[in-house]
Amino acid sequence: MELANLLESCRAGDELAWEMLVRQTQSRVFGIAMTYVRDRDEARDLSQDIFVRIYRNLDGCKDADRFLPWLVRISRNACIDHLRRRKARPPARDIPAEEALRLVAPDEAPDEEMERQARRRVVETALHSLSEINREIILLKDMQGLALEEIARLLNLPLGTVKSRSSRARLELAKAVQDLMGPAGAEATA
Amino acid sequence: MNTRCTAWEALLDAYLDGALDGSDEAFFRSHAADCDRCRDLLRLVSADLPALAVEDEAPRLADSVIAVTSGPACGRAEALLVTRPDGGLSADEALLLQAHLEHCPPCSDLARALDVALTTVRELAEPELDLAFTYDVLRATSATRARKRGGALPRLADRLGAWWQGQAARPQFPWEVAFAATVVLVLLFGTPLSPARRAPARALAAVQASPSWMIDTAGELTGVAGAGIGAVQQDVTERRNRTAPDRADFLRHVREAGTALLNGDPGAAAARLRVAGGDLMQLWRDWRGEEPDADD
Ligand SMILES: [Zn+2]
Ligand SMILES: [Zn+2]
């Protein structure tokens, strides 16, 4: 189904279309939330809130071609609001989400899977060691694949600044990964 | 390496020739004293400068040779390295970078780390989610939808929902009853405005998942299970008819509560809602053909 049609059906209140849109975008939204809050449960709750926002604002996305930047913008704003609120009032720990419903890592190829998990943890840690602005640039450019122009608009920065920040952020990230892995780790993963 | 270093380098030849005048020489000496790089460079090009020699470390000298010779090239390589993933390099730049990486271990290490970082970051863009996530979103947004449609009734449905939740949370209100009641409420009112909206999530999910299964369940609840869908539907129709007055009462009281709320009288609205709650319990009893509880 074309994205434009899907969005149109969502706006018209078609529950099935909305369900499909949620399924198609939920991992991406969750990924964005995870770059702002590292805790899985917190990021999951935050993602729920993001979808409520998306749902309320569906009328605001007229152009299917600009859906992704629109989605990222809403998600980012929600994450920033969340962090602001959290700063004001530390979160009360909820009862842990139903672990039984979790998709656990598949059992097959455990070595490969473990290595992948380790690599992800390293990069996640490296990502969170960056400054806020560099982390956001990595998120928008390298994770979400937004165009530099979109990022400039979103962050309200000149294009040239976004470009040079993107380079610096990548360099910083690579160096942080290098530090965490050590030369041997880099050899093994390459 | 900064503009002072550049200025300093410009004076280097004149210094070695002994041709620097006062202020230039003062700058030259003071910068060499402050700047490791320039001091080392000076050591490289002049054999004997005891006045400036601070310490003699061979490794640092080797480092500084690298810094002076390949250092700037590494900086350039890094700059190209981080723009390469965007495909922005010219053929020549790509070639020069590749050649540098082949000969410079630190830069090729960095290139590998960057590869790992960017590949993994793309993986992190869409982490796996548990199966219940989509359902939770749909539940949250369908509540929003009811609210979005506006009017006093949805807001009242919210409050009624809270009441319902309270009922369901009572120990003597077991999950099975909540589930059964949810089936009935869905049959009677449909979901969007249903006070069952906040009924236990699993019950509502099950009911919404399969209407035909709901009819079967209603059949079990009504004791005509196994008699075929027609019999169940007939039974449900009978019960709907039997509970019609209860439903009318319930809706009337909800509407009255809505009017009270619109008139700015939340106290009266709450009282009407409590009555509506009673209607709901009556409705449930009539649906099941029960006598009122003795202790109620
Ligand atoms: Zn210098
Ligand atoms: Zn190099």
Side-chain angles (χ1 to χ4, degrees):
Chain A
M1 192 171 186
E2 289 278 324
L3 181 62
N5 297 341
L6 188 62
L7 285 171
E8 192 47 52
S9 302
C10 286
R11 278 193 288 268
D14 184 332
E15 274 106 352
L16 282 177
W18 171 238
E19 179 177 357
M20 182 179 277
L21 189 71
V22 173
R23 281 194 204 286
Q24 284 179 0
T25 53
Q26 61 187 21
S27 291
R28 193 183 276 272
V29 166
F30 184 52
I32 296 174
M34 282 287 284
T35 54
Y36 287 91
V37 295
R38 285 188 78 179
D39 182 79
R40 263 192 85 95
D41 288 338
E42 191 181 351
R44 189 186 187 281
D45 288 349
L46 180 53
S47 304
Q48 296 272 334
D49 293 346
I50 291 172
F51 272 108
V52 171
R53 281 200 196 202
I54 292 171
Y55 185 79
R56 288 200 191 124
N57 289 292
L58 275 172
D59 291 339
C61 180
K62 297 269 182 260
D63 185 356
D65 289 342
R66 299 213 45 221
F67 174 70
L68 180 61
W70 179 83
L71 180 85
V72 172
R73 179 191 294 268
I74 288 199
S75 305
R76 176 176 177 269
N77 288 345
C79 291
I80 290 170
D81 287 351
H82 173 80
L83 290 179
R84 210 173 282 147
R85 274 198 306 274
R86 192 176 65 170
K87 213 178 262 175
R89 172 182 49 79
R93 274 309 318 146
D94 273 332
I95 19 163
E98 286 179 66
E99 293 294 329
L101 289 171
R102 284 282 166 76
L103 267 181
V104 284
D107 281 338
E108 81 257 21
D111 281 358
E112 207 175 292
E113 177 60 26
M114 266 172 64
E115 195 191 301
R116 195 170 60 106
Q117 299 283 354
R119 180 164 51 80
R120 285 188 183 184
R121 261 196 302 279
V122 162
V123 174
E124 230 173 3
T125 307
L127 198 55
H128 282 270
S129 76
L130 301 187
S131 68
E132 204 172 305
I133 179 73
N134 282 353
R135 188 164 57 247
E136 281 209 302
I137 295 268
I138 295 282
L139 163 71
L140 299 171
K141 177 99 181 60
D142 297 312
M143 277 176 97
Q144 300 302 326
L146 292 193
L148 288 168
E149 290 77 11
E150 294 287 0
I151 299 172
R153 218 175 335 214
L154 191 65
L155 300 181
N156 210 2
L157 288 172
L159 188 62
T161 308
V162 172
K163 232 183 243 182
S164 61
R165 270 194 200 277
S166 165
S167 295
R168 250 180 300 158
R170 278 178 177 171
L171 196 59
E172 218 185 287
L173 180 68
K175 286 184 172 165
V177 166
Q178 206 176 11
D179 285 349
L180 287 164
M181 290 197 308
E187 298 281 320
T189 328
Chain B
M1 176 94 179
N2 53 38
T3 52
R4 294 175 70 81
C5 300
T6 315
W8 185 90
E9 275 179 25
L11 300 175
L12 183 57
D13 279 347
Y15 173 81
L16 294 170
D17 294 343
L20 280 189
D21 62 31
S23 65
D24 278 346
E25 185 171 5
F27 163 72
F28 187 91
R29 283 181 175 276
S30 80
H31 183 72
D34 293 342
C35 176
D36 290 351
R37 174 197 171 272
C38 293
R39 185 166 59 247
D40 287 327
L41 183 56
L42 187 57
R43 279 208 252 170
L44 277 175
V45 297
S46 61
D48 179 34
L49 283 164
L52 291 167
V54 180
E55 54 205 299
D56 193 5
E57 288 172 51
R60 222 205 25 225
L61 191 64
D63 282 352
S64 65
V65 172
I66 291 172
V68 169
T69 54
S70 71
C74 287
R76 174 91 180 114
E78 283 180 358
L80 292 181
L81 201 57
V82 292
T83 47
R84 185 168 65 167
D86 301 327
L89 299 193
S90 71
D92 281 350
E93 285 171 329
L95 201 73
L96 290 172
L97 174 62
Q98 201 47 49
H100 179 80
L101 293 182
E102 276 163 26
H103 298 289
C104 179
C107 284
S108 66
D109 258 10
L110 188 67
R112 257 196 302 275
L114 182 67
D115 266 0
V116 169
L118 293 183
T119 312
T120 312
V121 151
R122 263 170 244 129
E123 288 172 21
L124 292 174
E126 302 197 30
E128 281 155 15
L129 265 166
D130 58 89
L131 292 168
F133 182 85
T134 319
Y135 166 67
D136 287 346
V137 167
L138 296 181
R139 188 157 53 95
T141 49
S142 95
T144 304
R145 177 198 303 276
R147 222 168 289 134
K148 201 174 174 179
R149 280 179 188 152
L153 208 55
R155 272 192 297 165
L156 279 162
D158 266 359
R159 303 190 54 175
L160 195 64
W163 170 85
W164 175 254
Q165 209 169 28
Q167 290 296 310
R170 284 162 50 188
Q172 64 268 48
F173 197 81
W175 188 78
E176 287 76 15
V177 175
F179 171 73
T182 303
V183 171
V184 173
L185 288 169
V186 169
L187 283 175
L188 289 174
F189 299 106
T191 42
L193 261 182
S194 164
R197 207 150 36 70
R198 288 209 195 166
R202 279 186 294 177
L204 196 54
V207 169
Q208 284 177 324
S210 163
S212 67
W213 181 80
M214 182 182 76
I215 293 284
D216 290 348
T217 312
E220 267 174 49
L221 288 171
T222 55
V224 290
I229 193 88
V232 172
Q233 270 166 346
Q234 197 198 331
D235 183 79
V236 167
T237 307
E238 273 170 26
R239 282 165 202 261
R240 283 182 69 108
N241 292 339
R242 187 161 76 216
T243 54
D246 302 329
R247 265 183 298 147
D249 282 350
F250 171 74
L251 286 177
R252 183 161 47 81
H253 289 136
V254 169
R255 257 182 232 113
E256 281 170 9
T259 311
L261 207 63
L262 287 176
N263 291 338
D265 190 351
R272 294 281 90 186
L273 266 186
R274 270 196 295 279
V275 175
D279 297 337
L280 209 55
M281 292 312 280
Q282 184 57 45
L283 199 159
W284 172 233
R285 284 189 206 101
D286 287 348
W287 173 271
R288 298 210 300 181
E290 272 178 6
E291 292 304 313
D293 292 347
D295 61 356
D296 226 316

